[in-house]
Amino acid sequence: NAGVMQNPRHLVRRRGQEARLRCSPMKGHSHVYWYRQLPEEGLKFMVYLQKENIIDESGMPKERFSAEFPKEGPSILRIQQVVRGDSAAYFCASSPSGARNTIYFGEGSWLTVV
Amino acid sequence: AQSVAQPEDQVNVAEGNPLTVKCTYSVSGNPYLFWYVQYPNRGLQFLLKYITGDNLVKGSYGFEAEFNKSQTSFHLKKPSALVSDSALYFCAVRETDGGTASKLTFGTGTRLQVTL
């Protein structure tokens, strides 16, 4: 059973470009979470999704950031018009339904904005 | 709102000695508590969790954690530290509301440094 798969692992974008980060959850997992980690900092929650539904987006910046988890295919975190402050590691995690279940993390996507 | 505090930015311990990484939490309902470890440039690896039952939870790589409801703590422990345990450790809490799952809220992390 493959783990949570994220790609790309490393992404370089110029200021003003768009970044798309993809996440395939573990098999059988219907919940996806996105977190951001700035250098030498902890993990900040961004968004929590189920298939075709955003459950909690309280951590998403109001502008330029969006996320989806379609019925088919991976979850996508999209950052439009990137700025240098968007440079960070973005982690996706997944779990089955049910609060008792463990949330498993992917290896992360490192975004560098130049 | 749920929150987690890890009061120590760094913990230093000699190999072979016991280690403790502290964590306290705040939730309005029953907490589900987790510990994760992160090695440089890697994702988070799950170590253990407390859901219900025995207050002492055993996890991966010889780690264990003790849930203390009165002190709202969930300290991570290991009887004998290894150099390879050196990493960043995160405590997290997941609040439940009638069984409805919510996000994980993380502490700021504690860097464990184990030396020979």
Side-chain angles (χ1 to χ4, degrees):
Chain A
N1 188 8
V4 179
M5 303 301 292
Q6 290 188 247
N7 67 83
R9 290 294 314 280
H10 298 276
L11 182 63
V12 179
R13 285 288 178 264
R14 296 186 184 279
R15 281 177 293 172
Q17 291 184 319
E18 178 179 285
R20 283 195 179 199
L21 309 178
R22 288 176 291 277
C23 170
S24 295
M26 289 178 70
K27 188 176 181 180
H29 288 191
S30 57
H31 295 219
V32 164
Y33 315 79
W34 285 94
Y35 286 81
R36 177 166 60 178
Q37 185 178 36
L38 294 169
E40 301 302 315
E41 291 191 14
L43 283 95
K44 301 298 184 186
F45 168 77
M46 299 183 75
V47 63
Y48 166 24
L49 310 105
Q50 294 179 21
K51 287 279 188 181
E52 302 183 284
N53 204 14
I54 296 176
I55 305 302
D56 181 352
E57 56 181 347
S58 57
M60 286 283 269
K62 299 299 181 188
E63 297 177 346
R64 303 187 298 109
F65 284 73
S66 63
E68 62 177 5
F69 188 18
K71 186 176 180 180
E72 301 291 338
S75 175
I76 306 287
L77 179 67
R78 184 182 292 111
I79 311 172
Q80 296 177 305
Q81 300 174 341
V82 296
V83 301
R84 288 226 172 105
D86 296 334
S87 296
Y90 292 83
F91 290 98
C92 174
S94 73
S95 73
S97 62
R100 295 175 173 232
N101 289 297
T102 300
I103 297 176
Y104 291 95
F105 282 77
E107 288 293 313
S109 290
W110 267 258
L111 172 65
T112 301
V113 180
V114 297
Chain B
Q2 59 200 41
S3 65
V4 174
Q6 293 182 244
E8 303 154 315
D9 289 337
Q10 181 155 327
V11 169
N12 299 307
V13 63
E15 188 174 57
N17 284 358
L19 69 88
T20 299
V21 182
K22 295 179 181 178
C23 170
T24 58
Y25 66 90
S26 174
V27 296
S28 57
N30 291 320
Y32 292 165
L33 295 156
F34 301 78
W35 275 101
Y36 289 83
V37 59
Q38 185 181 32
Y39 294 95
N41 301 316
R42 301 293 301 276
L44 275 70
Q45 295 179 33
F46 168 72
L47 281 179
L48 52 79
K49 66 181 178 183
Y50 171 81
I51 302 298
T52 187
D54 195 348
N55 289 342
L56 185 64
V57 179
K58 294 189 183 296
S60 305
Y61 314 120
F63 284 93
E64 57 190 29
E66 186 168 10
F67 171 65
N68 187 317
K69 188 173 183 178
S70 62
Q71 297 185 4
T72 61
S73 67
F74 190 55
H75 301 331
L76 181 70
K77 301 181 180 185
K78 188 174 181 181
S80 178
L82 297 173
V83 171
S84 57
D85 292 330
S86 299
L88 190 56
Y89 290 80
F90 289 99
C91 181
V93 65
R94 192 178 198 188
E95 190 164 5
T96 63
D97 178 11
T100 302
S102 66
K103 61 184 182 287
L104 275 176
T105 298
F106 285 88
T108 51
T110 299
R111 188 165 301 280
L112 174 66
Q113 187 69 44
V114 182
T115 54
L116 291 170

